[in-house]
């Protein structure tokens, strides 16, 4: 009974990299109407578009119907009609067509929040120093820096397929005014599984905690009794969260091939689509461990791959 309590009360260190904001995308540039100067001085908006050779001086639509103008006026009319049709389609389709490639320029566009988790055997020891390096050098205040964090983290995971054991993921859709709440709930749910965030870089604020006295030391890991108590399995869990403009989905992860595809997709999100990220991993501190019992208790939704 005492040994199980010790395992349950053991501290769990975590690392965190995050940043971004949920702001509406800037609208298209606005061109002011053409102005003209009347004889009396001053400038006033022209009451209609001015085109040379346009019949009686009415809008360019009139010459199409037998009053002069010609092919040039017809082409302009078709261009304006096409623009109006596209604007109507964007308005009625909620701001994007075909998913990821089209984004509404309204103040409340669609947002996708993707979460991908990977559980690796602790033998992938090179992964933790790599994630620490990313945290210490990342520029989390710029879209380009946040996109680079996702790229580097995905690449680090792709380099260790022989250690993949567990995985899981999914995507939620929301409008911009509700997306931040969804994103924060997912991030808090993962952060609450740590006893302490021993290394973090959020919005370029780098913090490192001293884990002494809270986490087991390397010497304790060498104790055979402790290893037998906690079981032979030790793992590293990495979580990637990304909020993107438009429709974006990662595949359901049921195999190593699915996980490989999901990592490639989330690592290739362009910076101009990326609103916010969270990269979380545990354990972070040297000497800390994550056991099979921890995986079953804290990450029950993960699947074997």
């Amino acid at each position: 009974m005492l040994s199980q309590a010790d395992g349950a009360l053991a501290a769990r260190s975590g690392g965190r990299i995050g940043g971004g904001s949920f702001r509406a995308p800037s609208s298209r540039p606005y061109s002011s109407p053409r102005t003209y100067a009347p004889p009396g001085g001053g400038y006033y908006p022209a009451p209609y578009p001015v085109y040379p050779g346009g019949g009686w001086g009415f809008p360019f639509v009139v010459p199409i119907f037998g009053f002069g103008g010609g092919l040039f006026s017809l082409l302009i009319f078709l261009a304006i009609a096409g623009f109006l049709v596209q604007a109507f389609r964007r308005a009625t389709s909620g701001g994007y067509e075909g998913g990821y490639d089209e984004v509404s320029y309204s103040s409340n566009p669609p947002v996708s929040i993707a979460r991908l988790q990977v559980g690796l055997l602790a033998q992938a020891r090179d992964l933790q120093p790599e994630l620490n390096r990313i945290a210490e050098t990342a520029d989390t205040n710029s879209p380009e820096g946040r996109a680079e964090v996702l790229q580097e983290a995905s690449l680090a995971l792709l380099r260790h397929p022989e250690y993949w054991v567990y995985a899981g993921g999914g995507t939620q859709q929301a409008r911009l005014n509700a997306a931040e709440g969804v994103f924060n709930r997912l991030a808090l749910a993962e952060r609450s599984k740590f006893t302490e965030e021993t290394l973090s870089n959020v919005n370029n604020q780098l913090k490192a905690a001293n884990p002494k006295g809270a986490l087991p030391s390397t010497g304790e890991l060498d104790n055979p009794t402790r290893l037998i108590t906690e079981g032979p399995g030790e793992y590293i869990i990495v979580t990637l969260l990304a909020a993107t403009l438009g429709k974006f989905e990662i595949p359901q992860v049921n195999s190593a091939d699915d996980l490989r595809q999901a990592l490639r997709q989330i690592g290739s999100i362009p910076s101009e689509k990326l609103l916010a990220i969270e990269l979380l991993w545990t354990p972070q501190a040297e000497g800390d461990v994550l056991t099979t019992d921890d995986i079953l208790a804290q990450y029950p939704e993960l699947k074997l791959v």
Side-chain angles (χ1 to χ4, degrees):
M1 290 175 62
L2 291 176
S3 62
Q4 291 176 355
D6 289 341
L9 296 175
R12 297 288 169 245
S13 63
R16 180 191 178 202
I17 306 173
S21 63
F22 288 79
R23 296 178 182 175
S26 58
S27 60
R28 287 190 175 98
Y30 172 74
S31 298
S32 60
R34 186 173 179 177
T35 59
Y36 72 99
Y43 288 85
Y44 299 91
Y48 50 82
V50 180
Y51 299 94
W56 298 339
F58 287 100
F60 66 90
V61 178
V62 175
I64 297 175
F65 297 99
F67 296 97
L71 180 61
F72 180 69
S73 296
L74 176 62
L75 292 176
I76 293 177
F77 174 76
L78 294 176
I80 296 298
F83 171 79
L84 293 175
V85 170
Q86 291 296 328
F88 177 77
R89 290 176 63 187
R90 282 195 298 268
T92 56
S93 64
Y96 62 98
E97 302 170 20
Y100 191 83
D101 295 329
E102 295 286 340
V103 178
S104 171
Y105 285 84
S106 69
S107 61
N108 194 27
V111 174
S112 302
I113 299 100
R115 181 182 64 173
L116 182 62
Q117 291 183 299
V118 186
L120 305 95
L121 291 173
Q123 283 84 349
R125 292 296 182 185
D126 293 342
L127 179 63
Q128 288 167 305
E130 180 67 14
L131 295 175
N132 294 343
R133 182 195 64 79
I134 295 172
E136 292 166 357
T137 59
D139 176 16
T140 52
N141 258 348
S142 70
E144 295 78 13
R146 293 190 288 270
E148 185 177 359
V149 168
L150 284 185
Q151 292 171 7
E152 293 296 319
S154 300
L155 182 59
L157 290 167
L158 285 167
R159 286 172 174 163
H160 297 281
E162 68 274 18
Y163 298 121
W164 296 347
V165 181
Y166 299 100
T171 307
Q172 297 187 37
Q173 309 292 334
R175 287 288 173 173
L176 183 63
N177 59 3
E180 186 172 7
V182 176
F183 184 87
N184 288 341
R185 283 195 296 272
L186 291 173
L188 287 173
E190 298 304 320
R191 293 174 62 194
S192 66
K193 298 172 185 177
F194 308 157
T195 303
E196 185 178 10
E197 290 176 359
T198 46
L199 178 65
S200 69
N201 179 350
V202 179
N203 294 323
N204 274 5
Q205 298 296 314
L206 183 63
K207 298 179 182 179
N210 184 358
K212 291 182 179 179
L215 301 174
S217 65
T218 304
E220 289 177 73
L221 286 177
D222 296 334
N223 186 337
T225 304
R226 187 171 186 271
L227 290 176
I228 293 173
T229 300
E230 293 192 343
E234 295 180 5
Y235 303 92
I236 303 168
I237 297 291
V238 180
T239 302
L240 296 170
L241 281 175
T244 64
L245 282 172
K247 187 177 181 181
F248 171 79
E249 291 187 6
I250 58 174
Q252 290 293 325
V253 180
N254 298 308
S255 66
D257 288 338
D258 294 339
L259 176 55
R260 186 175 291 105
Q261 179 64 23
L263 286 170
R264 289 172 179 170
Q265 284 187 223
I266 204 168
S268 62
I269 298 173
S271 59
E272 63 270 16
K273 298 283 188 180
L274 199 55
L275 291 174
I277 66 162
E278 287 277 351
L279 169 60
L280 306 160
W281 71 98
T282 182
Q284 188 278 323
E286 183 180 356
D288 196 8
V289 296
L290 200 64
T291 68
T292 303
D293 290 341
D294 296 326
I295 299 292
L296 295 175
Q298 299 291 339
Y299 303 92
E301 69 279 6
L302 297 185
K303 302 176 183 177
L304 289 169
V305 294

